[in-house]
């Protein structure tokens, strides 16, 4: 009997949680489409997955800050006859500095990558999933989307809260058709994210128990979306933080956020 291997599209697949998703899904027998800006890293990962898991891996480099990137990416999928079963909306980064200290085009690119691109990819790929009666969409949000915003990295928590609410509505609209949507909400994760934002030195002050590996986050995420969880916060420490945030008065949580953010938020832009 012949079986068709699932096909997963992973954005931001060149490092961190994105690369971990690619490796985990390849282990589970998926073929993959990998996209990110850094083609050399994608090719290296693709070769690894082909050799280790026999996966068919397609590399389609793209900069999701480009307004036409998603439509061109999906046109290429159609041209190659690739039907996406799993969409992992993972691409993201942080913009250090206070809101007014950063040029608007930088904020605009951030909004496109973290908010517009995930929504457009879902919009373009959902019809096929609905028609086939099966699909999985994981929007990589963050614990930051559940707790009060902080000074610095102004749009980051806002973008993650957006992904959570977007995922909830999308899940309700599609679960009866076999399409599961999950907002995956990790806390502090070992990756190069903080090196890129220039906050690694600040991050190193946090205790070890606050951190998870990208692999642990991804394993939880895959199980959560298969179960039909609509929002999943990874790690017991992060789930406690989320629960406490809901229980404490807003004034207190904002005060705590202001105090703690000084330890790990860069208030001066490093662009």
């Amino acid at each position: 009997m012949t079986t068709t291997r699932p096909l997963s599209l992973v954005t931001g697949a060149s490092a961190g949680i994105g690369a971990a998703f690619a490796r985990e899904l390849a282990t589970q027998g998926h073929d993959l489409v990998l996209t990110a800006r850094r083609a050399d890293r994608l090719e290296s990962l693709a070769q690894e997955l082909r050799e280790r898991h026999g996966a068919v891996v397609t590399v389609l480099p793209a900069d999701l800050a480009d307004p036409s990137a998603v439509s061109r990416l999906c046109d290429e999928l159609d041209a190659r006859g690739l039907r996406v079963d799993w969409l992992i909306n993972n691409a993201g980064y942080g913009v250090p500095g206070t809101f007014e200290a950063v040029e608007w085009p930088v904020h605009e690119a951030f909004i496109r990558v973290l908010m517009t691109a995930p929504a457009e990819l879902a919009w373009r790929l959902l019809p096929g999933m609905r028609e086939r009666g099966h699909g999985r969409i994981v929007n990589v949000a963050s614990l930051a989307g559940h707790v009060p915003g902080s000074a610095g990295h102004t749009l980051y928590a806002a973008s993650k809260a957006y992904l959570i609410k977007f995922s909830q509505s999308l899940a309700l609209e599609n679960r009866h058709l076999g399409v599961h949507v999950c907002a995956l909400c990790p806390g502090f994760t070992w990756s190069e994210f903080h090196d890129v934002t220039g906050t690694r030195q600040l991050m190193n002050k946090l205790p070890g128990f606050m951190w998870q590996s990208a692999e642990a986050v991804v394993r939880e995420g895959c199980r959560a979306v298969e179960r039909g969880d609509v929002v999943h916060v990874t790690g017991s420490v992060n789930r406690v933080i989320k629960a406490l945030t809901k229980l404490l008065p807003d004034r207190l949580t904002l005060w705590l956020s202001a105090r703690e953010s000084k330890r790990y938020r860069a208030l001066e832009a490093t662009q």
Side-chain angles (χ1 to χ4, degrees):
M1 182 176 65
T2 352
T3 58
T4 305
R5 291 164 61 96
L7 178 65
S8 295
L9 168 61
V10 183
T11 72
S14 58
I17 290 174
F21 258 114
R23 292 187 175 101
E24 177 63 25
L25 292 169
T27 301
Q28 294 182 19
H30 291 222
D31 291 330
L32 292 136
V33 177
L34 307 180
T35 189
R37 290 177 302 168
R38 295 175 289 188
D40 56 338
R41 289 202 178 190
L42 293 178
E43 291 290 357
S44 175
L45 177 59
Q47 190 58 31
E48 173 196 327
L49 301 179
R50 293 175 189 128
E51 291 174 359
R52 288 190 180 181
H53 306 290
V56 177
V57 186
T58 304
V59 171
L60 297 176
D63 181 358
L64 297 180
D66 181 340
S68 64
V70 171
S71 60
R72 286 189 283 106
L73 178 61
C74 291
D75 286 347
E76 187 63 28
L77 293 174
D78 288 341
R80 295 174 182 234
L82 298 173
R83 303 186 310 175
V84 173
D85 302 294
W86 283 55
L87 168 61
I88 311 297
N89 275 319
N90 165 74
Y93 56 97
V95 176
T98 55
F99 190 61
E100 82 290 346
V102 178
E103 295 295 325
W104 175 249
V106 177
H107 288 314
E108 185 176 31
F110 177 91
I111 290 167
R112 287 193 181 280
V113 174
L114 276 87
M115 300 172 70
T116 307
E120 186 178 353
L121 278 166
W123 183 81
R124 291 183 180 276
L125 298 176
L126 256 175
M129 295 180 185
R130 289 167 61 100
E131 183 181 345
R132 294 189 295 274
H134 185 274
R136 303 288 183 261
I137 298 175
V138 178
N139 293 317
V140 179
S142 171
L143 177 64
H146 292 285
V147 301
S150 59
H153 298 250
T154 318
L155 293 176
Y156 188 79
S159 71
K160 297 304 185 178
Y162 161 85
L163 284 177
I164 293 167
K165 296 300 183 184
F166 172 58
S167 300
Q168 289 171 332
S169 295
L170 209 58
L172 292 173
E173 293 170 3
N174 292 281
R175 63 184 178 185
H176 66 290
L177 294 170
V179 179
H180 295 182
V181 182
C182 178
L184 180 63
C185 303
F188 295 111
T189 306
W190 293 113
S191 73
E192 64 178 32
F193 178 91
H194 301 291
D195 300 308
V196 173
T197 61
T199 54
R200 172 59 61 197
Q201 190 173 356
L202 295 171
M203 290 294 99
N204 287 342
K205 297 177 181 179
L206 289 169
F209 69 82
M210 296 287 293
W211 294 86
Q212 279 188 294
S213 68
E215 292 74 19
V217 166
V218 165
R219 286 193 296 270
E220 283 196 45
C222 288
R223 290 194 296 265
V225 73
E226 284 285 36
R227 283 194 307 263
D229 293 358
V230 177
V231 178
H232 181 75
V233 177
T234 68
S236 54
V237 171
N238 296 321
R239 288 191 283 272
V240 168
I241 292 171
K242 178 194 171 188
L244 286 174
T245 300
K246 287 187 173 295
L247 290 172
L248 295 173
D250 288 349
R251 182 175 293 183
L252 178 56
T253 57
L254 280 169
W255 177 79
L256 288 169
S257 176
R259 189 188 72 172
E260 294 301 313
S261 65
K262 293 175 184 176
R263 302 185 184 185
Y264 58 87
R265 284 287 191 246
L267 297 183
E268 293 180 2
T270 58
Q271 304 300 318

